[in-house]
Amino acid sequence: MKSAVFMKAGQVTVEDIAKPTIQAPDDVIINVVRTCVCGSDLWAYRGLEDKAAHSENSGHEAIGIVESVGSDITTVQPGDFVIAPFTHGCGHCAACLAGFDGDCQNHSDNFSDGVQAETIRFQHGDWALVKIPGQPADYSDAMLNSLLSLADVMATGYHAARVANVKTGDTVVVVGDGAVGLCGVIAAKMRGAKRIIAMSRHADRQQLALEFGATDIVAERGDDAIAKVMTLTNNAGADAVLECVGTELSNETAMKAARPGAIVGRVGLPHEPKMDMAASFYRNTIIAGGPASVTTYDKQVLLKAVLDGDIHPGKVFTKRFKLDDIDAAYQAMTNREAIKALITID
Ligand SMILES: [Zn+2]
Ligand SMILES: [Zn+2]
């Protein structure tokens, strides 16, 4: 079967590799219908993160059809249409029960890899997989894209809003205009935010942020961005801040945009782990966030919201590619020609 392979920084190719098989009783083999490239895949592609040459692709978002299941699997069966989240919670450890299945305490291998492929082995699939009613043919192209976003970006944006405790009437700042930041705008609106200030410098992303519910756009960066946020909030700062980038600058901006006592919900993996602990102390800033609880949110709110047509997170997929053209998909995201690149599998 075909699978994307990470060759080296700047090059991802497609190779024929052995089709995965059931290895453990809680494995599920899934034939992928749609997958995509994630902003997090670009760290290694840009050469900013070490990754072995000629290694498994880092793709971790897919929807597909179950082909076979291990003997412990009771929740899905061959033929089922499923969301394959990037997290693999068990559903019954303390972390999962508290709604933090991104940190499942029973699974050390809690994250997906290698799903930019025709067929994948999904480990610990019994609780983590999310069943979609019907079959792919029952859904529009746009709806399939929204369902795919529930494997990561929409759930991750929702996680930022949840851990930042966004609630009715809040003023929220969203730092980051990638797919996750844009989904954070959707999540803030779902949770009743009154004012949603999106930080974005790109016209296509600003447009989508407004469509998703942003009330204000801040195109400035750094201290100029903070000055603008302060003007927009009568010098108060935001009740909640969603940090969806993970750089030192974006974290600093997020901390400064928060009013005293506000929560910064972080879903951008910190690649430059420096933080001014004194600054957060003097402002009573609460720092929250981490890997998203994908299965929890999909099952509790997001799948229904997509199926009911209340949210349209699939709009973040602005370019599509065949698996054979995976390198062009990575390039499109690296060059910011696509907000998020969709990969369709025949
Ligand atoms: Zn991702
Ligand atoms: Zn668990």
Side-chain angles (χ1 to χ4, degrees), residues 1 290 300:
M1 66 139 197
Q300 285 183 354

mmCIF file with all atom_site columns, all heavy atoms in Angstrom, residues 1 290 300:
data_model
loop_
_atom_site.group_PDB
_atom_site.id
_atom_site.type_symbol
_atom_site.label_atom_id
_atom_site.label_alt_id
_atom_site.label_comp_id
_atom_site.label_asym_id
_atom_site.label_entity_id
_atom_site.label_seq_id
_atom_site.pdbx_PDB_ins_code
_atom_site.Cartn_x
_atom_site.Cartn_y
_atom_site.Cartn_z
_atom_site.occupancy
_atom_site.B_iso_or_equiv
_atom_site.pdbx_formal_charge
_atom_site.auth_seq_id
_atom_site.auth_comp_id
_atom_site.auth_asym_id
_atom_site.auth_atom_id
_atom_site.pdbx_PDB_model_num
ATOM 1  N N   . MET A 1 1   ? 0.849   -1.204 0.000  1.00 0.00 ? 1   MET A N   1
ATOM 2  C CA  . MET A 1 1   ? 0.000   0.000  0.000  1.00 0.00 ? 1   MET A CA  1
ATOM 3  C C   . MET A 1 1   ? 0.879   1.246  0.000  1.00 0.00 ? 1   MET A C   1
ATOM 4  O O   . MET A 1 1   ? 2.050   1.197  0.368  1.00 0.00 ? 1   MET A O   1
ATOM 5  C CB  . MET A 1 1   ? -0.882  -0.005 1.247  1.00 0.00 ? 1   MET A CB  1
ATOM 6  C CG  . MET A 1 1   ? -0.080  0.127  2.533  1.00 0.00 ? 1   MET A CG  1
ATOM 7  S SD  . MET A 1 1   ? -0.858  1.206  3.723  1.00 0.00 ? 1   MET A SD  1
ATOM 8  C CE  . MET A 1 1   ? 0.516   1.537  4.811  1.00 0.00 ? 1   MET A CE  1
ATOM 9  N N   . GLY A 1 290 ? -2.452  21.860 26.920 1.00 0.00 ? 290 GLY A N   1
ATOM 10 C CA  . GLY A 1 290 ? -1.644  20.691 26.579 1.00 0.00 ? 290 GLY A CA  1
ATOM 11 C C   . GLY A 1 290 ? -2.309  19.950 25.433 1.00 0.00 ? 290 GLY A C   1
ATOM 12 O O   . GLY A 1 290 ? -3.088  20.537 24.691 1.00 0.00 ? 290 GLY A O   1
ATOM 13 N N   . GLN A 1 300 ? -18.842 14.470 22.991 1.00 0.00 ? 300 GLN A N   1
ATOM 14 C CA  . GLN A 1 300 ? -19.734 15.309 23.799 1.00 0.00 ? 300 GLN A CA  1
ATOM 15 C C   . GLN A 1 300 ? -20.407 16.412 22.987 1.00 0.00 ? 300 GLN A C   1
ATOM 16 O O   . GLN A 1 300 ? -21.588 16.699 23.168 1.00 0.00 ? 300 GLN A O   1
ATOM 17 C CB  . GLN A 1 300 ? -18.960 15.947 24.956 1.00 0.00 ? 300 GLN A CB  1
ATOM 18 C CG  . GLN A 1 300 ? -18.650 14.959 26.069 1.00 0.00 ? 300 GLN A CG  1
ATOM 19 C CD  . GLN A 1 300 ? -17.936 15.601 27.251 1.00 0.00 ? 300 GLN A CD  1
ATOM 20 O OE1 . GLN A 1 300 ? -17.560 16.776 27.193 1.00 0.00 ? 300 GLN A OE1 1
ATOM 21 N NE2 . GLN A 1 300 ? -17.736 14.846 28.301 1.00 0.00 ? 300 GLN A NE2 1
#
